[in-house]
Amino acid sequence: MRDLAAGMRYLGKGQRWVARHGRWWGFGLIPALIALVLYAAVLTVLALWSGDIAAWATPFADDWGSPWQGLLRGVFVALLIAGGLMLSVLTFTAVTLLIGDPFYESLSEKVEESEGYCPPSPDRPLWQEIGIALRDSVHVLLRAAGFGILLFVLGFVPFLGQTVVPAVGFCVSGFFLTVELTSVALQRRDIPVRERLRLLRGRKALAVGFGTPVVLLFLIPFVAVALMPGAVAGATLLVRDLVADEEEPPAPDRDGAAAGHDPAAGAAYGQPGAPYGQPGAPYGQPGAPYAQPGAPGGFGAAPAPYPANQGQPQAPQQYPRPQSGPGSSAARPPAAW
């Protein structure tokens, strides 16, 4: 239940984000408006021809009497229109994302930058990005169509087909709609579609809580267009939570080498860490260019001290004063110089 409520909150967060950034909301409306015109035309044709399609699909009921023939074909028309609406919700998002790939990519990047960190996009040309998005959308829609056919058949089961099956159908549609909306941020991280499905299956309640309200709101005319930019923004915020345990923003290098910063820059004068020959080393200590033998630009080695008395006049040798008395050296003749 916590993930279910969290998914609904992400939808609200995305709408609040585009409300605070009105320029990006208008930017994201352009592809949604184009897709709306296309889908309005297709759904109108489906509604006008639904009775003929029901009669063509149920030829075995041509001989049925009233009210069974009308009841069967009425149920068929209702399921056909409901299936068309459900399929349009899923494909509307995929087609809108294909039309507006550059628009929504820029919007998603802006959302991530406002949150503090945006992973770099793969270095691929635009046509290749659109091709990958188209292939992934077909993969998701084929899976969704398989569930849709199963639910369509179960819709003929009495009571369950009118109560449980529609509720399950909305949840399934919500899950796959979340897969489509999160594809913008997950494709930028170069995560393949099978891995995206695995990630969202691991948080089914989160995906259903986000996508099911979008499905219900998209059924209201013109609401899909107004909510599409906020849905992309909310899906981007959801992706950041989904990959939070597997993705860490690059931490700045402590010694500043990654930014080209000299680790010794700013070291106090005479403190360890100043490179040799730089002003940070104290004069006369290891690392100062001067006072080092052979250092470039230095004065070379200091001269050796002079030997004692070298280069100075010698003082005459002093002898002790003669002593008087017997046995003294006074009777000796003075030594010659």
Side-chain angles (χ1 to χ4, degrees):
M1 291 300 294
R2 182 180 300 177
D3 268 358
L4 195 67
M8 297 178 184
R9 285 197 298 270
Y10 278 119
L11 180 59
K13 288 179 182 179
Q15 300 304 325
R16 287 195 297 271
W17 191 94
V18 295
R20 293 194 305 267
H21 303 79
R23 184 173 67 88
W24 287 98
W25 178 74
F27 188 69
L29 287 180
I30 298 172
L33 285 170
I34 297 172
L36 177 66
V37 173
L38 296 174
Y39 275 86
V42 172
L43 289 175
T44 300
V45 171
L46 178 64
L48 292 175
W49 291 87
S50 60
D52 295 335
I53 295 174
W56 170 80
T58 57
F60 55 87
D62 289 342
D63 299 331
W64 289 13
S66 180
W68 305 114
Q69 184 190 74
L71 181 62
L72 174 65
R73 289 179 175 173
V75 170
F76 187 92
V77 168
L79 291 174
L80 182 64
I81 294 176
L85 288 172
M86 189 173 297
L87 186 62
S88 68
V89 169
L90 291 174
T91 57
F92 176 85
T93 303
V95 171
T96 304
L97 291 175
L98 286 174
I99 295 172
D101 185 75
F103 296 85
Y104 294 126
E105 179 65 29
S106 300
L107 172 62
S108 179
E109 287 181 358
K110 190 67 177 179
V111 172
E112 299 222 50
E113 288 172 1
S114 69
E115 293 297 310
Y117 171 64
C118 178
S121 301
D123 187 14
R124 287 192 290 257
L126 178 60
W127 64 268
Q128 190 174 0
E129 290 284 344
I130 295 176
I132 293 173
L134 179 60
R135 182 196 64 195
D136 293 348
S137 295
V138 170
H139 180 88
V140 173
L141 289 174
L142 287 176
R143 286 174 173 261
F147 282 96
I149 293 171
L150 176 62
L151 293 172
F152 181 81
V153 173
L154 292 176
F156 290 97
V157 178
F159 182 72
L160 290 179
Q162 293 75 44
T163 55
V164 177
V165 172
V168 173
F170 281 118
C171 292
V172 171
S173 299
F175 175 84
F176 284 106
L177 183 61
T178 302
V179 175
E180 288 288 350
L181 289 169
T182 54
S183 64
V184 179
L186 290 173
Q187 186 175 329
R188 180 167 56 255
R189 289 165 170 81
D190 210 15
I191 298 177
V193 63
R194 295 180 187 276
E195 182 66 15
R196 298 175 211 166
L197 289 166
R198 185 193 68 79
L199 285 171
L200 289 169
R201 281 198 300 266
R203 303 282 297 275
K204 288 188 184 74
L206 183 68
V208 171
F210 179 83
T212 304
V214 178
V215 171
L216 295 173
L217 290 170
F218 276 17
L219 294 176
I220 305 172
F222 304 106
V223 171
V225 177
L227 294 184
M228 191 64 185
V232 173
T236 301
L237 296 173
L238 185 148
V239 166
R240 293 177 64 85
D241 178 26
L242 196 65
V243 300
D245 297 333
E246 304 179 18
E247 179 182 65
E248 292 291 338
D253 197 348
R254 290 185 178 180
D255 60 9
H261 175 65
D262 189 348
Y269 182 83
Q271 295 299 319
Y276 288 96
Q278 297 299 322
Y283 183 81
Q285 296 299 322
Y290 305 104
Q292 290 296 321
F299 299 106
Y306 285 97
N309 299 329
Q310 183 176 347
Q312 297 182 4
Q314 279 190 331
Q317 186 176 1
Q318 301 293 326
Y319 290 96
R321 186 180 298 276
Q323 301 291 330
S324 60
S328 66
S329 59
R332 300 176 191 164
W337 287 89

